[in-house]
Amino acid sequence: MSDHPLKALIESADRSISAKDFAGLMRFYTDDATLVVKAGMYAKGKDQIRKAFEAISAHFQGKLKVRQGRMEVIEGGDTALVIMETWLDAVDESGIATSTVRRATYVFRRDSSGTWLCAVDNSYGTALLDS
């Protein structure tokens, strides 16, 4: 389902993450959104989500690049479940380039104007069950 409007929206959000445009990134989230930072750690609301992305960027020395692979969108009314491959390209503590793929899950809601916004951002997907 690569032609779904959510693909372009998610790619735009990824560009904001990679460019460290965290203020711009917040336009993709609902006011009450939740970001899975890691297993058992959640950022709730735009203020916490922005701070989490700033900390994540700092952890990766500002060199985190996010991109998407295969994607499936399942819609039910004004809600959509997105299952996709998320690629994280970064530099580790030793300065070595790394690339990790996750099977992410996202929940989007469509508002009254027809705009899709992310309500749950879980780049770990079902891997949370492994913790």
Side-chain angles (χ1 to χ4, degrees), residues 60 64-67 85-90 97-103:
F60 289 105
L64 179 64
K65 302 292 180 205
V66 183
R67 56 193 168 94
E85 294 173 330
T86 297
W87 289 84
L88 305 171
D89 301 322
T98 63
S99 188
T100 303
V101 65
R102 294 180 181 166
R103 294 203 170 212

Side-chain angles (χ1 to χ4, degrees), residues 32-105:
D32 61 348
T34 298
L35 168 71
V36 177
V37 178
K38 63 181 180 179
M41 181 183 287
Y42 308 101
K44 296 183 182 229
K46 290 182 178 183
D47 289 339
Q48 286 185 15
I49 292 172
R50 181 179 175 159
K51 289 176 185 170
F53 275 112
E54 289 169 350
I56 291 165
S57 178
H59 174 78
F60 289 105
Q61 303 151 4
K63 296 182 180 177
L64 179 64
K65 302 292 180 205
V66 183
R67 56 193 168 94
Q68 302 302 326
R70 293 180 304 159
M71 169 187 193
E72 190 68 37
V73 178
I74 305 162
E75 282 188 51
D78 288 330
T79 304
L81 172 63
V82 179
I83 302 167
M84 68 187 327
E85 294 173 330
T86 297
W87 289 84
L88 305 171
D89 301 322
V91 175
D92 70 13
E93 301 83 26
S94 327
I96 297 172
T98 63
S99 188
T100 303
V101 65
R102 294 180 181 166
R103 294 203 170 212
T105 55

Side-chain angles (χ1 to χ4, degrees), residues 3 9-10 25 30 34 41 62 82 84 104 106:
D3 59 343
L9 183 74
I10 292 168
L25 178 63
T30 63
T34 298
M41 181 183 287
V82 179
M84 68 187 327
Y106 307 103

